Amino acid sequence: ILGIELGSWSIKEIEMESRFRRIDILEFHDVRLPLQITDAVTAYTQGIGQLMARLPSHPGKIVTSLPANQTALRFLQIPVKSRKKVEQMFRFELEDSIPFILEDSIVEHLVTKTPEGSIVFAVVSPKKNVQAHLGWLASIGIDADWLTFDGMGLVNIFLNAERQMAEEEKPDGISLILDIGHTKTNVAAINQGRLEFFRTIAWGGASINHAISINMGLSMEQAEEMKHSQLSLRPDTLSDSDELQICAQQGMRSFLMDVNHSLVAYKNLYKQEAASIQIVGGTAKLKGLDAYLEHSLGLPTLRFRPFEYLELKEELKETADQYRFIE
């Protein structure tokens, strides 16, 4: 099985082998794309070609995800515990909450029980969107067997990690997971082993690059290199005279607002507040970002380390970037 993530400036692949009741991870691969892509089809076709050439054989199955802007995610709270009745009811409520015709769409859903009833998590995409995306994938050399929603990998790995944690390791209360990439951030709220909230924020580390590039007169490549090699966001190192830190904070303003809006939206939905934040994704590697978010958002913030809860060969743990490859 080959898992593929088509990022905004890199393509990542994971080779997996399906065995009896388990999946073995064999190898990680990635190809960097230009920071500013002018011809997407050519760039992705070349990248996919390079990655496929590294494989020992053609994969039996390929899995990738639909773009976030082509799916609608909905959480329906239904005050009924009978799964059979919930299955009969949820489509009527779902139809009133989406901006397209349900009969012309593909719907996948998950029902979980709560003390008050049930939560239905539904992922909906118009068939024309799915067909168009499959056509685009074929044009760059991918014949996909399975499509997921963008963020499903993160959610599954975190839920798997929670099941494996000792009781004293498990996070108290509701965890807000931030998968912070180059141009987007996936936000998921996990409460007692169930997904209760998910959204995608159109913000990533590229926004910091843009702020550094514009204000300091650097190329995007120079800004990216400086961001990782020289920038620290630890609150105790912030200075009003450090131009790099000032640029980074400017680039993060809209992100902090969107995360705060997500926290408020979750509280309004469930009458509960998140207890902690866990960050992952390529941008999560920024020095001091965990401490900066904790200071700015007022919630304990940690880096989620997925490899600690996956069975991997030691050489893979040492060479693969767990933050970038989580999805």
Side-chain angles (χ1 to χ4, degrees):
I1 302 169
L2 186 70
I4 302 177
E5 182 182 7
L6 299 166
S8 57
W9 74 300
S10 70
I11 303 172
K12 295 178 282 293
E13 293 184 343
I14 298 183
E15 288 180 66
M16 298 167 279
E17 189 168 20
S18 177
R19 298 183 183 274
F20 181 65
R21 292 187 178 178
R22 69 182 234 183
I23 294 285
D24 287 345
I25 296 177
L26 305 179
E27 190 57 88
F28 297 83
H29 306 279
D30 76 329
V31 166
R32 293 293 177 119
L33 301 172
L35 280 174
Q36 295 174 299
I37 297 174
T38 54
D39 184 346
V41 172
T42 299
Y44 282 104
T45 300
Q46 291 175 349
I48 290 294
Q50 292 177 47
L51 289 170
M52 290 298 188
R54 299 178 188 176
L55 303 180
S57 60
H58 190 77
K61 298 288 183 182
I62 294 177
V63 56
T64 188
S65 61
L66 279 166
N69 62 4
Q70 295 187 20
T71 58
L73 309 182
R74 294 292 185 270
F75 291 84
L76 308 173
Q77 297 184 67
I78 298 178
V80 175
K81 293 189 177 182
S82 167
R83 185 183 183 91
K84 185 176 180 180
K85 290 184 178 178
V86 172
E87 294 279 2
Q88 294 170 346
M89 296 170 59
F90 87 91
R91 286 179 176 268
F92 297 103
E93 293 204 22
L94 181 62
E95 196 162 23
D96 293 335
S97 69
I98 56 174
F100 35 79
I101 300 172
L102 200 58
E103 285 73 16
D104 296 336
S105 306
I106 293 174
V107 181
E108 292 290 352
H109 71 285
L110 174 70
V111 179
T112 55
K113 290 185 178 180
T114 69
E116 298 78 26
S118 303
I119 293 177
V120 179
F121 171 46
V123 183
V124 190
S125 182
K127 292 177 182 177
K128 63 180 182 181
N129 287 7
V130 177
Q131 291 166 347
H133 188 63
L134 287 171
W136 184 79
L137 290 173
S139 75
I140 62 172
I142 298 175
D143 182 12
D145 297 281
W146 297 319
L147 290 177
T148 72
F149 74 89
D150 186 18
M152 183 175 172
L154 165 68
V155 171
N156 283 337
I157 287 179
F158 187 81
L159 291 173
N160 176 67
E162 276 199 327
R163 286 191 292 269
Q164 296 189 49
M165 290 176 186
E167 284 302 318
E168 61 272 15
E169 291 182 300
K170 292 183 179 180
D172 294 326
I174 297 147
S175 299
L176 193 76
I177 319 300
L178 303 180
D179 181 6
I180 313 172
H182 188 61
T183 58
K184 70 178 189 303
T185 297
N186 288 327
V187 182
I190 309 290
N191 180 17
Q192 297 182 354
R194 63 176 178 264
L195 176 67
E196 292 188 340
F197 181 88
F198 191 96
R199 68 175 294 212
T200 298
I201 295 172
W203 186 95
S207 297
I208 297 177
N209 293 358
H210 282 293
I212 295 172
S213 174
I214 291 170
N215 289 287
M216 299 182 69
L218 302 173
S219 69
M220 290 292 286
E221 289 75 15
Q222 290 172 320
E224 170 71 14
E225 193 281 328
M226 183 175 284
K227 178 181 72 176
H228 285 290
S229 65
Q230 299 182 35
L231 175 64
S232 173
L233 288 169
R234 286 190 59 84
D236 57 358
T237 67
L238 296 180
S239 167
D240 292 338
S241 60
D242 189 314
E243 188 176 8
L244 186 60
Q245 290 178 338
I246 292 169
C247 291
Q249 291 181 84
Q250 288 175 350
M252 291 190 66
R253 283 175 186 166
S254 65
F255 175 62
L256 294 175
M257 289 177 59
D258 278 331
V259 175
N260 265 314
H261 290 162
S262 298
L263 290 166
V264 171
Y266 179 81
K267 182 180 179 181
N268 289 339
L269 276 172
Y270 297 100
K271 313 306 177 192
Q272 297 184 81
E273 294 187 355
S276 64
I277 293 173
Q278 300 214 27
I279 60 174
V280 74
T283 300
K285 297 192 296 180
L286 281 178
K287 298 181 186 73
L289 181 62
D290 50 347
Y292 183 78
L293 292 178
E294 183 167 322
H295 175 76
S296 301
L297 299 170
L299 287 172
T301 302
L302 303 169
R303 286 185 171 88
F304 174 49
R305 302 181 187 277
F307 283 9
E308 293 182 12
Y309 306 98
L310 295 175
E311 292 187 13
L312 288 178
K313 297 174 183 177
E314 284 304 316
E315 56 265 32
L316 290 181
K317 289 185 178 181
E318 293 171 3
T319 57
D321 186 336
Q322 63 179 322
Y323 296 112
R324 291 184 60 244
F325 276 91
I326 183 169
E327 177 63 25

